[in-house]
Amino acid sequence: MNTTEKHYRFAAVADIHIDLESGGKNTYFIHAERNFARALEVIRKRNCDFIISAGDQVTNATGAKEEWRRYREIIDRSGYNGLILEAMGNHELRYAKYGGCTVDQCREEFIRFTQLDDKPVVRERGKTYYAYLDDTFGDAYLFLALEYSSGTPLTDNFSEEQMDWTERMLERFTREKRRVFLIQHVPFHAFGAGDDNEAPAYGGNMSLYDESGRPFSGNRRFFDLIHRYRDAVWLSGHTHIDLRDEVNYSTAQGSACHMLHIPALAGSTRIATIGGRRGLDRTFYGDAAQGYIADVFENEVVFSGIDFLSDRLYPEYTYVIKR
Ligand SMILES: [Fe+2]
Ligand SMILES: [Fe+2]
């Protein structure tokens, strides 16, 4: 048992996926709004100091503006008025992939609707990646952004500029002896948390190489950093896989940092065998909206899996990360 006093508490969610495809005629993530509203209610009741959202706040299949408006509306109506810190996922850029808008327009919407310019964060002008420093206890949270398009295995995801910045920040935070959390949406294929490494069920995770075997330099640099900074805690989302499939936590046998995957708040999916092949059932499990409540102590962080719909913790999916 932890006998030291708790420093603070935050909630960790991912893949909120507000979805108004074709003006709401083709909505795929049918529980997204209900689940987000319910999570905010529970988070408020459980006295979390802030919220971390690990990417894919919107779905953006046919434009994200209305989805972002709905996202803000749900927050405003919830009565939760603490800080929400969002990472930019692949869906924030989705419509650009289909040619409906430019990547820059997607980035601008992300900045505008997450109100990033008004947040107390360390950030270079116009950028979608940033750091948040906890004033009282000094912990550092680095929010990375997918920059190019869909975050699939077919693309690199990080510019040299973002990786230079990330490296500088990690060096600085290590020098300052801060505890570091990385929030970066997409896991690596067959590595770490978020999917089964031996028999991956999801084909959409990051790759280190392109199809012709040339390294993706941004992905590669991020991979190196999680091996170099092994005390860090990396929170990801993206695969949407349910806590009950138990691919939640990994350190790659102690070779990399602490990796914790967060299921989709919009409704998780499960690993299944479909037509004789391993895959995802893409059911939104209307009965579950999962994430974590994180209690931060001097020497450890306790991540308690939670279903926000029933407001029940999962004692079996609790991960204690020591400093
Ligand atoms: Fe997602
Ligand atoms: Fe994603």
Side-chain angles (χ1 to χ4, degrees):
M1 207 179 97
N2 193 304
T3 50
T4 59
E5 202 187 324
K6 187 168 82 187
H7 284 182
Y8 59 93
R9 165 179 279 186
F10 67 88
V13 300
D15 298 275
I16 294 168
H17 271 292
I18 304 299
D19 186 357
L20 291 169
E21 183 174 347
S22 311
K25 288 200 276 291
N26 271 323
T27 296
Y28 185 70
F29 295 101
I30 50 173
H31 301 303
E33 295 184 26
R34 177 199 68 178
N35 290 8
F36 184 37
R38 175 71 182 136
L40 290 170
E41 195 184 318
V42 169
I43 288 165
R44 190 162 70 108
K45 209 178 84 190
R46 285 186 177 268
N47 294 314
C48 295
D49 295 290
F50 57 91
I51 300 172
I52 279 170
S53 175
D56 285 3
Q57 283 71 220
V58 291
T59 304
N60 200 11
T62 53
K65 210 163 264 161
E66 283 311 314
E67 293 169 354
W68 279 121
R69 284 208 183 98
R70 197 64 69 86
Y71 177 79
R72 292 250 59 97
E73 236 173 70
I74 294 168
I75 296 168
D76 292 344
R77 276 205 311 258
S78 73
Y80 173 82
N81 44 30
L83 201 53
I84 304 179
L85 297 155
E86 299 95 341
M88 195 164 81
N90 55 306
H91 273 268
E92 269 74 37
L93 298 173
R94 178 63 93 190
Y95 201 34
K97 184 188 172 188
Y98 302 147
C101 63
T102 65
V103 165
D104 278 344
Q105 284 168 329
C106 289
R107 283 194 196 127
E108 279 158 26
E109 280 179 2
F110 174 81
I111 292 168
R112 178 177 156 208
F113 287 101
T114 62
Q115 303 176 339
L116 196 48
D117 286 336
D118 303 326
K119 283 178 177 162
V121 297
V122 180
R123 171 173 163 250
E124 287 173 8
R125 238 189 107 193
K127 300 301 179 198
T128 49
Y129 46 87
Y130 59 95
Y132 170 68
L133 300 177
D134 168 68
D135 283 342
T136 317
F137 300 102
D139 297 341
Y141 294 79
L142 277 174
F143 292 80
L144 302 193
L146 301 184
E147 287 178 284
Y148 294 125
S149 64
S150 62
T152 66
L154 304 175
T155 54
D156 202 346
N157 292 286
F158 313 109
S159 63
E160 290 298 315
E161 200 184 5
Q162 179 173 191
M163 283 300 109
D164 288 345
W165 178 87
T166 305
E167 230 171 295
R168 281 201 307 277
M169 288 292 132
L170 285 168
E171 276 165 22
R172 176 186 145 188
F173 297 150
T174 304
R175 210 168 45 238
E176 293 171 350
K177 298 194 179 352
R178 295 178 190 271
R179 175 161 41 198
V180 175
F181 297 84
L182 286 163
I183 297 87
Q184 195 286 102
H185 182 67
V186 189
F188 286 102
H189 183 71
F191 178 85
D195 198 355
D196 186 338
N197 292 338
E198 271 78 59
Y202 182 54
N205 280 339
M206 277 203 295
S207 174
L208 293 171
Y209 302 96
D210 72 10
E211 282 171 317
S212 61
R214 264 179 317 178
F216 286 130
S217 67
N219 294 355
R220 181 87 241 173
R221 285 182 71 184
F222 181 73
F223 194 71
D224 290 341
L225 289 174
I226 59 167
H227 285 82
R228 213 185 310 157
Y229 293 93
R230 280 183 298 201
D231 292 334
V233 181
W234 169 22
L235 303 171
S236 64
H238 187 61
T239 74
H240 296 201
I241 294 176
D242 196 282
L243 290 173
R244 293 168 283 190
D245 282 328
E246 303 194 3
V247 292
N248 307 321
Y249 174 76
S250 171
T251 59
Q253 292 85 44
S255 69
C257 71
H258 303 276
M259 297 176 270
L260 189 70
H261 180 260
I262 309 165
L265 184 70
S268 49
T269 186
R270 300 220 44 185
I271 296 174
T273 304
I274 302 149
R277 290 185 56 191
R278 196 162 168 83
L280 299 175
D281 67 6
R282 300 190 189 271
T283 306
F284 305 120
Y285 288 91
D287 63 334
Q290 301 170 336
Y292 289 95
I293 299 289
D295 286 317
V296 183
F297 298 86
E298 175 64 32
N299 292 315
E300 64 185 37
V301 186
V302 180
F303 285 93
S304 305
I306 183 169
D307 167 39
F308 288 108
L309 283 184
S310 61
D311 190 15
R312 242 182 246 138
L313 298 174
Y314 292 96
E316 65 274 45
Y317 307 127
T318 295
Y319 302 91
V320 180
I321 298 176
K322 301 216 182 274
R323 207 170 187 173

